[in-house]
Amino acid sequence: MASLDFIADHTHAAPGHNAGETTSGPPASEAGGILTVDLAALVANWRALGRRAMPSECAGVIKANAYGCGIEQVATALARAGCKTFFVADLSEARRVREVAPEAAIYVLNGLIPGTPQVYAELRARPVIGSMVELAEWDAFVAATQWRGGAALHVDTGMNRLGISATDAAALAPRIRSENHGITLLMSHLACAEATSHPLNDLQIRLFREVRMLYRGIPSSLANSSGIFLSDNAHCDVVRPGVALYGANPTPGRPNPMRPVIGLKARVVQVRNVNKGDTVGYSAGWTVRRAARIAIVSVGYADGYLRASGSSDETPGGFALAGGKRCPIAGRVSMDLMAIDVTDAPPLKRGEFVTLIGDELGLDEVATAAGTIAYELLTALGHRYHRVYRVE
Ligand SMILES: *Cc1c(COP(=O)(O)O)cnc(C)c1O
């Protein structure tokens, strides 16, 4: 049933498509938007991050449906490239990864929901233990079942989100090292890695080093994407890049060392001429300043194109590329549609596409225009797009 393709998020070989591609979602001929995920670029980014962090192991953070990009597709591509360790947010994500990566170590960042240790064992997934009560529940399970599938111990070094305190970690160390609690990773998380001169970075790196000394023999992990570029002292044994895999710049203010992964195009539903003095869209907040041509495209905030990208007479918004020309979004972004001022672009036909992300319109720039960060833009990516996964 073709309509089921709308909800199926699994990659299937698309007959008639390029051998280097798989697709999902509605067919390209019917879709209002086309999202391209370049898995070859993603793998190249993973390799580049691994080289940068050498000799540390490079894991892959693929929580939130691999930052909106498709967890099965991304896990498959990274596992094939040699990635052995994944981080997800919850058990349902762990289950999806286990299906496509039977051998991988899968850590679940949000920790242990009460009553779930057995599920971890069934999935051979590893909880990231973030509090003393979680540790107690896991210990009881491990003692009762002799399960040795592993777990991470998360130590809070200044983020104040998840993790046991450094003091608790120090007190526990002799017990964890002598009895076998199956702790396979000691980890912490940086709060400000992208702000290279923030004093908290050094404090966290130093505090984590002190804790690590007490856990010698157990691999340790601290750095997210930006942490990899922050300092070699943050690399430890395993690095945990997420957003940089997907092409966002882990070094804000400096040139982006990553390859772009995401491309988004929106279909032109119609092109209309509007008169000077007219307004465009909801709340009539964008006034036509000269006779203009407006392309109505079929991507809106329900597709994850954030409403904050819209414009008004007072505030500029985001852009689209039409025939290589930068064209401003005209007025508010609607649920399923938005208007682009294409007056200065070469003529556009009904059914053609404008670029919303890609070429000169980088992911980070588009996020900034919406007043947010690439993380939010990626994880909002919609489910109505025809998705093309490039594998070579
Ligand atoms: C999300 C997350 C990461 C990855 O962070 P990026 O900034 O996307 O690289 C790493 N570690 C933890 C604990 C996370 O929650």
Side-chain angles (χ1 to χ4, degrees):
M1 280 238 261
S3 64
L4 283 180
D5 285 346
F6 280 82
I7 45 172
D9 213 33
H10 294 266
T11 304
H12 56 263
H17 265 76
N18 195 320
E21 292 178 2
T22 58
T23 66
S24 73
S29 57
E30 297 175 11
I34 297 187
L35 178 71
T36 307
V37 181
D38 187 341
L39 294 171
L42 181 133
V43 164
N45 286 340
W46 177 75
R47 292 209 169 101
L49 293 162
R51 277 194 301 276
R52 170 93 207 192
M54 222 130 73
S56 310
E57 178 192 344
C58 191
V61 180
I62 56 174
K63 62 198 183 188
N65 194 30
Y67 290 51
C69 293
I71 197 167
E72 285 85 3
Q73 291 88 344
V74 169
T76 302
L78 288 177
R80 264 190 208 145
C83 182
K84 294 183 166 47
T85 305
F86 293 106
F87 290 83
V88 297
D90 64 19
L91 278 167
S92 84
E93 293 176 347
R95 192 170 283 117
R96 290 170 69 186
V97 175
R98 183 51 81 219
E99 294 262 310
V100 297
E103 306 302 328
I106 304 172
Y107 286 98
V108 178
L109 290 165
N110 287 2
L112 201 58
I113 293 176
T116 56
Q118 189 59 47
V119 185
Y120 277 92
E122 283 156 17
L123 289 174
R124 291 174 290 119
R126 300 174 173 182
V128 175
I129 292 176
S131 70
M132 295 301 277
V133 280
E134 286 180 27
L135 183 61
E137 181 172 358
W138 185 250
D139 266 356
F141 175 76
V142 165
T145 61
Q146 304 303 307
W147 174 247
R148 287 293 179 272
L153 184 62
H154 192 167
V155 181
D156 178 36
T157 51
M159 172 101 173
N160 271 310
R161 191 173 65 175
L162 298 177
I164 66 172
S165 70
T167 316
D168 282 343
L172 275 171
R175 219 184 90 204
I176 292 206
R177 289 185 63 199
S178 62
E179 306 160 29
N180 185 351
H181 289 250
I183 299 294
T184 45
L185 187 69
L186 183 77
M187 65 167 260
S188 189
H189 191 42
L190 296 166
C192 325
E194 70 292 340
T196 49
S197 56
H198 198 291
L200 190 50
N201 288 319
D202 252 6
L203 284 175
Q204 291 196 270
I205 289 170
R206 275 193 278 132
L207 183 54
F208 192 54
R209 185 194 294 141
E210 285 175 29
V211 178
R212 266 160 51 214
M213 308 253 254
L214 306 173
Y215 283 75
R216 217 167 271 143
I218 297 178
S220 63
S221 175
L222 177 63
N224 66 338
S225 298
S226 294
I228 293 171
F229 294 86
L230 186 62
S231 159
D232 290 358
N233 294 331
H235 291 171
C236 306
D237 301 301
V238 181
V239 293
R240 307 190 306 270
V243 80
L245 295 173
Y246 311 97
N249 187 358
T251 62
R254 286 184 282 155
N256 189 350
M258 311 321 297
R259 278 176 58 179
V261 170
I262 293 294
L264 179 60
K265 291 184 190 307
R267 190 187 297 278
V268 175
V269 180
Q270 59 172 260
V271 180
R272 53 200 299 136
N273 295 313
V274 290
N275 300 317
K276 185 175 176 187
D278 280 2
T279 59
V280 173
Y282 281 125
S283 71
W286 192 86
T287 310
V288 181
R289 300 219 169 98
R290 52 171 179 170
R293 268 187 315 126
I294 300 289
I296 309 299
V297 303
S298 49
V299 164
Y301 62 77
D303 302 295
Y305 199 82
L306 302 176
R307 200 168 161 276
S309 310
S311 67
S312 69
D313 292 341
E314 289 78 39
T315 36
F319 290 88
L321 295 174
K325 273 265 177 202
R326 237 167 219 272
C327 301
I329 294 174
R332 289 205 172 163
V333 175
S334 308
M335 185 184 291
D336 316 299
L337 299 163
M338 64 181 155
I340 316 285
D341 180 354
V342 294
T343 315
D344 296 328
L348 265 177
K349 286 211 236 12
R350 170 178 160 249
E352 290 184 341
F353 289 88
V354 301
T355 298
L356 298 180
I357 304 173
D359 301 328
E360 294 89 73
L361 271 182
L363 183 64
D364 293 290
E365 186 197 339
V366 176
T368 303
T372 186
I373 52 177
Y375 297 77
E376 191 176 28
L377 195 62
L378 285 166
T379 55
L381 286 170
H383 303 287
R384 298 194 289 204
Y385 300 131
H386 173 73
R387 288 182 174 225
V388 178
Y389 289 91
R390 277 204 199 124
V391 290
E392 56 194 47

